[in-house]
Amino acid sequence: METDSLLAGSENGDSGEYGSRSGTKQGGDRGSRRMSYSVAGDKHRDDEDLYIQQAVVLIEDAIHYRSINHRVDAHSLQLYRWYYSRICQWILGVTIAVVLLLAFVEHPSSLSVSSDPRHRSVSWHPPCGFTESIEMVCLIIFSLDLAVKSYLIGWEEFRKSKWLISYTVVISVSIIDWVLSISMACDEKLRVRRLIRPFFLLQNSSLMKKTLKCIKRTLPEIASVILLLALHLCLFTMIGMLLFAKTDDPKKNGEWELHFRDLPNALTSLLVLLTTANNPDVMIPAYSLNRGYSIFFITFSVIGTYCLMNLLTAIIYNQFRGYLLMSVQTSIIRRRLGIRAAFQVLSCHRAQAAAQEYVSVDAVLEVMVRVKMRSYYRVAINTVAQQHADVGYMDREQFMKIFDELDKDCIKEHPPLPQYMSPVLQRLQMIFSHYYLTVLGNAVALANVMCICTVLVLNSEKSTTERDHYVLEIINLCFILYYLFEMCVKIFAFGWRGYLSYRNNIFDGFLTILLMALQMTIYITYRLPYSHWDPSSHGGMPLWEIVRLVNMLIVFRFLRIIPDIKLLALVASTLLDLVKNLRAFAGILVVVYYVFAVFGIWLFEGAIKPPPETSVPSNSSTENITSNFSMECGTYEQLGYWSNNFDDFGAAIILLYDVMIVNNWQAFMEAYSRYTTEWSKVYFVCWWLTSSVMWVNLFVALILENFTYKWDRSHRCSVTDVERIRYETSVQLMFKEQIQEPTEEELLCQLHQHPHLHLRW
């Protein structure tokens, strides 16, 4: 139930009616007053608990940049916290993942070892009702999610939310399409709900919604550059068709025949050249006749590829960075608004003038006990709050100030070194904790890798049975014993907690123990070197397989040098931060891949079939094999791209990835235009624009912003500090210096507009 106004304080119960009755004994009168005071006290405690609970939820909203426009009565707050609990959000996330993964199981199923139609076994197709039952459970969960969200924000806010209205429409369409599937015994040609399933992923992420809004606002600037690219492409297409027109001499018609026979062919050839995928093949026939023709192709590439395409990257970076900054600004306003509302809730029950509003330090500490947040932020906020314990209260500015800890980087501190009483142990501790020990360990690891490379080069022409693995095993054992020694002395110098506080030590120690275990396994299994005992002849693992695993782990262990080189550590930390900050971009990319893969299956499923002589007779059919088959150099058939197709969802995803990379993507476009229609090129060009032009440039923009932020901060840090500063980096922290703080008037204006929180001012 939506709350009424928040009370400024609980009024004492009126006991007059109990004492005014005639003939009432004095003892009964005192008993009535005690009952009245008890009821008033209970009501007061209930109101106080409601204030605390409201403040807790508002601060949690601020921590997670959530909107505070939701119901704030006791029952709704419990439901709200339950909805945003880890278990509920985990269930919702798993449900979204399951409903998206159904595409791999539904017809056409991707459950086969190979996607090549020449070698593909018969895929397992689930019986009718299997995936549909799972999907209905997911739709029921989504319906409950919609119902809870709608109830918590109220009808007025629901009508303003385009996302929730769209959520309702998508669920309704999915249920209707599901009913149609069941009524048709799962034999329908198109499942519309497959196309709209990615919406469930979009609507569940606020950062993904912000990113989508940023992309939407960037589209006009991108469209202007794409229009310029189109004009550039059309202009050079016309010039090319004039330069390479058909002549009476067949020997001079090579360029015309291959690339400029007609307008679609010429446009396609130059569009692919824009991505450099067919360079220099596209100009070889003309260049072999006259080297002057190279000027045409070079001019086209310089203007289009190196000027306009890079200009497009610059525009996307500039525009997207501005809109992303606006999005982050909105998030910061949400945080400040939640904290300001929490202060108002805690202070509104006190009968004080607005200029004298304050909150009790004890109330703040009680709120922080209930708030679900990371422990290091809780400790930091409590520490600052307890500085006001001698006064007993804090005003609005002081209250807002203590939550500035949420905007600070969390610096990872390492435990102190263990204390040894013996001078000898202290001297050894100083030696083994020195940085030069790590440098020596890196040099030994490099020597180990060089030994492996030398042995591999010497044995490159030998088969695995002709190689002498025992010499390499003795060498590896010596190095591994040193690695074990290095790990032990570091544990001695730093202590267990200090050693494990460094992530590179965890990586190094885990691989060292694993290598030692494998090495001991080799010597136990194969007994002594040059022993005639061969376990592989009795079903055991061959020695070469174990040696190869050991060598791969040793090479992988060499990555330990990354944290010790400042530039490498900076690049590595940037990549790790991208994993966190690119979740919204990755989600949108998943949505785009999903939609285009579904469209591709609808349009091109079974369009390309290998000819009978290249197929396995038991698993292939000669139906729909047309005369479009071509074995010309560079074609789909000649390159053997049969496994890249739209015959199932998994294969479609891989084919779209190959086109996004734009390496030889013209082979796919040309093949499907031959087997279907010339209009199929529109599909591939749209995918190229969406993935390679749009998303890749957005990806580059975020990498530049993230790396620039890290690079600027790294100039103030030493090598050992790089791991510490990367402990916590978010999009909000990246733009922290450019963010404008909201004013008190702006916060109060938004609080007055809150649909459910009616405060006494």
Side-chain angles (χ1 to χ4, degrees), residues 311-327:
L311 178 63
L312 181 63
T313 302
I315 289 176
I316 290 177
Y317 171 72
N318 184 60
Q319 294 295 326
F320 183 77
R321 185 182 187 276
Y323 291 124
L324 188 60
L325 180 60
M326 291 172 56
S327 172

Side-chain angles (χ1 to χ4, degrees), residues 178-196:
W178 183 90
V179 172
L180 292 175
S181 297
I182 296 298
S183 63
M184 300 174 65
C186 310
D187 196 29
E188 75 279 17
K189 296 298 182 183
L190 299 179
R191 290 192 174 188
V192 178
R193 62 185 184 277
R194 294 184 70 182
L195 192 63
I196 57 179

